[in-house]
Amino acid sequence: MKKFTTDSGIEIERLYTEAEPDKSEPGEFPFTRGIHPEMYRSKLWTMRQYAGFSTAEESNKRYHYLLKQGVMGLSVAFDLPTQIGYDSDHPLAEGEVGKVGVAIDSLQDMETLFQGINLEEVSTSMTINSTAFILLSLYIALAKKQGADLKKISGTIQNDILKEYAARGTYIYPPKPSMKIITDIFEYCNAEVPKWNTISISGYHIREAGATAVQEVAFTLSNGKAYCLAAIQKGLDINRFGQRLSFFFNAHNNIFEEVAKFRAARRMWAKITRELGATDPRAQMLRFHTQTGGSTLTAQQPMNNIARVTLQALAAVLGGTQSLHTNGYDEALSLPTEQAAKIALRTQQIIGYESGVTDTVDPLGGSYFVETLTNRIEEAAWQYIRRIDEMGGSVAAIESGYMQQEIARSSYDYQQAVERKEKIIVGVNMFTEQESEPVSIFRVDDSIRQVQTEKLKALRASRNHEKVTSCLAEIRRRALEDQNLMPAVIEAVENYCTLGEIADTLRKVYGEYQG
């Protein structure tokens, strides 16, 4: 007989007639059923759209468009040079400026990016890791220029460097100084920007690299544990910084496995934080943003992706997400067009306002299948975490290559299942068509690098050179003396030091990680 399994290899029985249900209340430890007592009955999740391309001017136009369409928060995509600490005129930036996100070289670009947008009134998520401390500093500097109260600005920086080593690759510095910078951010924001989520511990890219749902939970929570331990070692109180931790998960097509994954992750994180000393329920809650699965999108028959994104968004909502980004149907081909972005947003709005799934908390709770699957995912994820703990934690597991090897194995197994047609992808290995309907593609002009280069040249000619030199020297001094970098970096960006100049100053102190 055919064996049925989830994408994580958990065997699915023909019929479920009993289960061990989680009878805890939503809003109470261990938060399996949700972190708020009323969940979406009182407030829907934040509907975000991930956007950023070309120049700050062009991205600003898209942000205003999305805000008019009803998005509740902005989510900024940065180009690769910005992500790895190179100014747009650096030789290694050639061919990449403005391509997968917006190019941000200085406070000047940040001012343009958010022109006409009040930072006190919008929540901003920034998908940035190795240079997260610089982009946060730019955001803070801009808020100060706007006259905003830093105690009121809200948003999230991804700031999750461990998953970069494990799955994605946009790192700069070695693990130890990178972890130091992250705890600097925790410390600074606890005091100065209390509503800011200082890290979004990301399973998304781990899943995109080929991990299973179980591995996504296990590796993400293990990384979260490593960040907590680093902060505790620095003398920070988990009951304070723990309230500003957030998570970022993927949502794939298997609705029941995804819902069970989210429920298990909440329960597990509550137990992990309690073991680390958290006594405040707000420091034990797993708050998370979800993005629908980019790796599930197909270039073949791209309109099919609308159905995939709908299933994935529904899973995220049924699983209790706090924030959601839905992919455009055309993102296997290019950055999303305005039409694709609008359809993606409307998908969320239809789920939120028309489907009825928001009327009760944890609507799949009590399902024999979902409760059993939640328990099975938790059991399998704990096995991974115990193994990683035996190695010395996430940093050691990454340095030894363990996480990377596990992800690569799962990715290979999945691709083999697709090749053998054990895993059906509609339009790819079944129900294929010889010719597909043409789809409009969003294209970024290659002249963007020249535009950015000219802006940099003018900026460097007009700023106070002595002040720039002294600011960069102060960053270097603080790095050498192991002091908190954030005040010096904020002062540097306020004086129009560029992102590349700040990153290079620290390259000379910390070196670069050779993965």
Side-chain angles (χ1 to χ4, degrees):
M1 292 181 64
K2 181 180 178 181
K3 182 179 178 182
F4 290 81
T5 66
T6 70
D7 290 341
S8 295
I10 296 171
E11 188 167 358
I12 300 172
E13 298 174 15
R14 183 187 70 84
L15 181 68
Y16 290 81
T17 57
E18 60 180 359
E20 186 180 329
D22 190 310
K23 295 182 179 179
S24 62
E25 286 287 316
E28 295 182 3
F29 186 93
F31 311 103
T32 312
R33 308 200 68 185
I35 63 171
H36 301 301
E38 294 293 310
M39 286 302 288
Y40 307 133
R41 287 165 65 93
S42 58
K43 181 185 177 183
L44 292 184
W45 63 93
T46 300
M47 297 182 189
R48 297 187 184 277
Q49 284 307 111
Y50 185 48
F53 57 90
S54 183
T55 61
E57 290 87 349
E58 291 300 315
S59 292
N60 177 260
K61 292 176 187 176
R62 177 66 68 90
Y63 295 157
H64 281 285
Y65 169 79
L66 290 170
L67 288 167
K68 287 178 182 177
Q69 298 301 317
V71 298
M72 302 170 183
L74 298 175
S75 188
V76 186
F78 298 97
D79 71 359
L80 282 174
T82 303
Q83 292 180 46
I84 54 178
Y86 292 123
D87 289 333
S88 296
D89 58 356
H90 192 284
L92 291 178
E94 188 169 358
E96 293 294 344
V97 176
K99 289 297 177 70
V100 298
V102 62
I104 298 294
D105 293 319
S106 72
L107 181 57
Q108 186 181 72
D109 288 325
M110 208 68 160
E111 291 164 351
T112 303
L113 185 66
F114 290 100
Q115 188 173 357
I117 299 171
N118 188 329
L119 299 191
E120 275 193 19
E121 296 176 356
V122 67
S123 168
T124 303
S125 173
M126 295 189 280
T127 303
I128 195 74
N129 295 284
S130 59
T131 55
F133 67 107
I134 304 175
L135 270 301
L136 176 58
S137 296
L138 287 164
Y139 196 86
I140 290 169
L142 177 59
K144 289 167 70 176
K145 285 197 74 172
Q146 286 189 357
D149 182 350
L150 296 187
K151 299 287 193 291
K152 293 181 180 178
I153 65 169
S154 64
T156 305
I157 42 171
Q158 193 163 101
N159 196 29
D160 176 5
I161 202 64
L162 291 179
K163 70 98 174 49
E164 295 296 326
Y165 302 125
R168 190 162 174 266
T170 62
Y171 44 72
I172 302 175
Y173 315 113
K176 188 175 179 181
S178 293
M179 293 290 280
K180 185 265 181 196
I181 292 171
I182 287 169
T183 55
D184 281 357
I185 295 169
F186 288 2
E187 185 177 51
Y188 177 84
C189 289
N190 275 346
E192 304 296 334
V193 197
K195 290 182 70 177
W196 196 268
N197 293 320
T198 50
I199 193 167
S200 178
I201 304 155
S202 176
Y204 184 84
H205 300 99
I206 289 171
R207 190 70 177 277
E208 289 291 283
T212 65
V214 166
Q215 289 171 333
E216 180 187 1
V217 171
F219 297 164
T220 305
L221 298 190
S222 181
N223 288 349
K225 184 177 179 180
Y227 292 125
C228 287
L229 289 169
I232 291 167
Q233 191 173 20
K234 192 166 184 169
L236 301 181
D237 180 2
I238 191 171
N239 283 307
R240 289 202 63 194
F241 75 77
Q243 296 182 35
R244 303 320 309 168
L245 304 180
S246 66
F247 288 80
F248 175 24
F249 286 116
N250 211 311
H252 276 216
N253 295 325
N254 190 319
I255 287 182
F256 295 108
E257 181 171 45
E258 295 302 299
V259 172
K261 176 188 78 178
F262 297 133
R263 298 173 89 247
R266 270 195 298 271
R267 189 159 67 198
M268 292 174 71
W269 185 245
K271 294 174 182 176
I272 288 170
T273 50
R274 178 179 275 187
E275 288 175 3
L276 292 175
T279 54
D280 190 323
R282 292 169 297 177
Q284 299 168 338
M285 294 176 182
L286 185 145
R287 291 166 289 271
F288 69 98
H289 169 71
T290 309
Q291 182 174 339
T292 55
S295 62
T296 69
L297 301 178
T298 62
Q300 302 93 327
Q301 302 177 30
M303 298 302 287
N304 293 345
N305 293 327
I306 296 174
R308 293 186 178 100
V309 168
T310 303
L311 290 172
Q312 294 161 9
L314 183 60
V317 172
L318 291 169
T321 192
Q322 277 61 69
S323 168
L324 178 61
H325 163 80
T326 33
N327 291 327
Y329 65 82
D330 54 0
E331 288 191 60
L333 300 167
S334 69
L335 291 169
T337 59
E338 279 194 1
Q339 181 200 42
K342 183 163 70 173
I343 291 172
L345 175 61
R346 294 288 184 257
T347 300
Q348 293 198 50
Q349 292 166 336
I350 290 167
I351 291 172
Y353 295 103
E354 298 185 28
S355 70
V357 299
T358 61
D359 294 344
T360 189
V361 181
D362 190 27
L364 293 184
S367 155
Y368 295 146
F369 181 35
V370 171
E371 295 288 359
T372 301
L373 203 49
T374 300
N375 295 337
R376 292 289 304 278
I377 288 174
E378 181 178 5
E379 291 165 8
W382 280 127
Q383 290 179 12
Y384 270 116
I385 290 175
R386 284 192 286 269
R387 204 171 304 147
I388 291 167
D389 285 345
E390 289 169 1
M391 296 177 183
S394 278
V395 174
I398 289 166
E399 288 178 335
S400 70
Y402 171 73
M403 281 193 195
Q404 298 92 314
Q405 290 164 11
E406 287 295 301
I407 294 168
R409 177 181 56 77
S410 294
S411 179
Y412 176 79
D413 289 346
Y414 178 86
Q415 189 56 41
Q416 288 294 104
V418 172
E419 297 290 338
R420 292 191 296 264
K421 292 190 176 182
E422 294 168 5
K423 178 74 178 174
I424 301 302
I425 310 296
V426 174
V428 176
N429 63 356
M430 193 171 282
F431 313 113
T432 57
E433 296 174 353
Q434 292 300 315
E435 296 182 9
S436 58
E437 295 181 13
V439 176
S440 297
I441 293 176
F442 186 93
R443 299 188 186 278
V444 176
D445 194 326
D446 284 329
S447 67
I448 299 305
R449 184 168 187 254
Q450 186 58 38
V451 172
Q452 287 297 111
T453 297
E454 289 171 4
K455 284 166 63 177
L456 280 166
K457 186 177 180 180
L459 176 74
R460 291 183 181 124
S462 64
R463 64 189 182 175
N464 185 322
H465 296 283
E466 290 183 4
K467 193 66 180 174
V468 167
T469 301
S470 67
C471 285
L472 295 175
E474 175 64 6
I475 291 172
R476 175 179 170 80
R477 184 192 69 77
R478 282 176 171 259
L480 289 168
E481 296 180 11
D482 206 28
Q483 295 179 6
N484 194 305
L485 294 174
M486 286 300 294
V489 175
I490 291 170
E491 184 181 9
V493 300
E494 287 177 325
N495 285 281
Y496 293 92
C497 294
T498 69
L499 174 135
E501 289 167 343
I502 295 167
D504 282 346
T505 298
L506 293 174
R507 279 185 175 95
K508 293 172 184 174
V509 177
Y510 297 141
E512 292 187 80
Y513 181 68
Q514 306 298 320

